[in-house]
Amino acid sequence: MQYTKLGETGINISKICVGCMSFGKPGTMHDWTLDEERTDAVVAHALDLGITFFDTANGYSAGTSEEYPGKGA
């Protein structure tokens, strides 16, 4: 995996990002979102691959898109 600095923070992040719009409680935004267990599996696999950059927003699935990946952190 290739990494880069996050701005001027000195923090290294992966150059590949996982978009998290599909994470969250199904039915709160879309019926196709991944529940907590499936989100955990995707996040774990990404971390195993060295991906450390996850893009999410509190507007996705009423905030559960941020909550699910954050529980495993």
Side-chain angles (χ1 to χ4, degrees):
M1 181 60 57
Q2 293 182 356
Y3 298 90
T4 190
K5 297 277 186 210
L6 180 62
E8 300 294 321
T9 66
I11 298 171
N12 286 321
I13 59 170
S14 59
K15 287 189 172 185
I16 295 176
C17 175
V18 174
C20 299
M21 186 175 181
S22 62
F23 298 167
K25 184 177 179 184
T28 55
M29 184 172 178
H30 304 288
D31 290 333
W32 45 261
T33 54
L34 302 177
D35 62 19
E36 189 170 359
E37 182 178 338
R38 291 157 91 194
T39 295
D40 288 347
V42 172
V43 170
H45 186 68
L47 292 171
D48 286 345
L49 295 172
I51 298 171
T52 59
F53 181 15
F54 296 84
D55 178 36
T56 188
N58 63 352
Y60 298 160
S61 299
T64 55
S65 173
E66 291 183 326
E67 292 172 12
Y68 289 179
K71 286 182 179 179

